[in-house]
Amino acid sequence: MFTRKYNLFIILLLMVIAVLFALPAKAALVGNTNQATLLLSPQTGSYQAGISFSIDVMVNTNNQSVNAIAAYINYNISLFAVDAIDYTGSVFTIQWESSTTSPAGMIKIGRSVPAPGVTTANGKIATIRLRGLANTSPSSDNFNFDFTAGDANKSAVFLADTSGGTYILSGVYNAMYTIVGGTADTTAPTISSVLASSITSSGATISWTTNEASNSQVDYGTTVSYGSQTTLDSSMVISHSQSLSGLSPSTTYHYRVKSRDAAGNLATGSDNTFTTSAVADATPPVRFAGSPSTNLSSGTNQATLSLTTNESATCRYSATAGIAYSSMSNTFLTTGGTSHSASISGLTDQNTYTYYVKCQDSAGNANPDDYQITFSVASTTDTIPPVLSSITASSIISDSAVITWTTNEVSDSQIEYGTTASYGSQTSLAVSLATYHSVTLSGLFASTLYHYRVKSRDAASNLAISLDFTFTTNSFVSPTPTPAPTLADGSLVRAAGDTKVFLIQNNQKQWIPSLDVFVANGYSWGNVSVVDSSVLNQYQEGSPVTAVTIVIPSALANATLIRVNGYPKVYALVGTKLHWIPNPEIFNLYQYKWQNVEIISTAQYQQYKETKLIKGVDDSKIYYIHPNGLKHWVINENIFNSYSANKWDDIIEVLPAEVNNYVSVTLIRLQNDPKVFLLQGTTRSWIKTADIFNQRGYKWGDVVNINQTEFNAYQEGTAIE
């Protein structure tokens, strides 16, 4: 009896073991089931190689309402191919991510659902259709969720709550799939239809096809050794396209294409070539050296109209502005090269002539704007008085007024005035000849009507007298205390409507009497502020400014002055370095003479190096001069060395007055970053919008690019908004 029971127990035990071994293995849980879980269904299975099969991506929300999920699943691309992802029947209706190739070997699914969300114990997210590529009998899961508890950048489930979604994924069930009946893929893709298209002077597009899905890359260069390659595109496709950029014009390039399939088999195409196109000429001719440019002597009835272009061109002219090149009827008699001339006849004395010129090069590029050539024919005897215009009484108070007017030629200034049209008083004659006139009438009675007329006499003593004008003085107002001066010592100022420039020093205004004095003291027109005349009137008149004695550095004093033929820039040649002289003020500062400027060819110019680094005598500060004429202080050695073009030997020592003549850079931006900053000393402040930029009167042409090293050296200031 005992033996029979024992035998029966053994038989039942063997049957249980057989059943257990017959059941498929179940993939392991990673994490826990305290909150939401993701799973793949089925979790195990055996499939025939080359035959598609489907698995479902599921979610258990653990009785919580959720509104978004991210399911990221890793797999081996040499063993499995993803044929499709089907979202039919998904409990999540909004798609925001779906990818099988970025990166390769990862399926990315992102879905959501509107409020109030969804609660489910077995909710379908998507169906993935797979296909086995090669035999595999895994001992562990081979379809794994990319999951780390609490990491919202990986697989995730989010609550539909008021805080915008709380992460609640606590565990995932991975899967393990067996593939049988297949053989390993050892055959590389077949490459065909290789083509270079969309060829420009700097780029081309290379395309090809493969007989199976594979990635894309191109080797290229000017020899069969190539030397460059495109970034690998890991997308598994059969139609391939790669863009090449940064190429040189009119250059033959070699290239070969490469594609690797999911099993890692690489196919490399044969060598091919293409030639980039030449750079298209889209620039119209540059016109300069127009003539005549001065007054012609009286009795001249014919002149030669001429100009020069920087390239061969055909030039036309018109006596009317704004005529299109194609509509101009007058073609220069000598034209087609770089020198152009035409004979103009029928000129008469005491007339001004203006001609408008446009040119077109052999590529069909015509000037859109007029190049103006203006000249006059003088009169034998000037018998015509000046033309008076814009006669205005302004700044009228109880005891004074300012009378201004303009003339069409330089002439002197005087005013007759009084309480009747007989006048009775007149101002002192201002003998300096000018076209803008301003005379102050003082000692007037309050609340009184005054008559006045202006008088101007030209250099030939032709007198012009205006009609009668009137103004009424204001009633008397007790003067308010004069405010204390507010201009800092060293300020350069002029009153609105007046050309006189003053230096503010020790609470006095000192007149700068001439351009020579202005230049010799190193002043810059860019530093001259325009103020109301009442501000200047607060200051006592001091002694006029006198020119300082300067010692010009020998390198610049003995420099050769050169200009490239056809271009206006003047340089001081110091050894083999070219120092740009940006304006007449600096030119005159060094006491240069225009007749000493030598004209050189472009080839000669290219033998020298144009340096843009300067420092003032006895000053350690180094500045970089930008092409727009702004100076840029290099605040430390680290920044200097961060620009590879900067060389310490290229620094030219200049007069402090030249340094002061330049306007400083105040607008900067980091290379490849659209944000513009206001630079004040070593502090940068972000100008938040283009509207603010424009409202403050900034100019986009004054913005300079800087590198990361320099950008980091400045302190972050308060944003401007």
Side-chain angles (χ1 to χ4, degrees), residues 183-204:
T183 58
D185 179 5
T186 60
T187 303
T190 300
I191 294 172
S192 60
S193 302
V194 180
L195 178 67
S197 61
S198 301
I199 300 171
T200 66
S201 61
S202 61

Side-chain angles (χ1 to χ4, degrees), residues 386 407 409-413 430-435 437 456-459:
T407 52
E409 60 177 317
V410 293
S411 50
D412 60 22
S413 313
V431 296
S432 59
L433 301 182
T435 58
H437 310 264
S456 286
R457 191 185 303 270
D458 64 17

Side-chain angles (χ1 to χ4, degrees), residues 142-159:
N142 55 2
F143 266 71
N144 300 285
F145 285 98
D146 185 23
F147 166 69
T148 300
D151 189 345
N153 294 316
K154 297 183 177 182
S155 295
V157 177
F158 297 97
L159 280 177

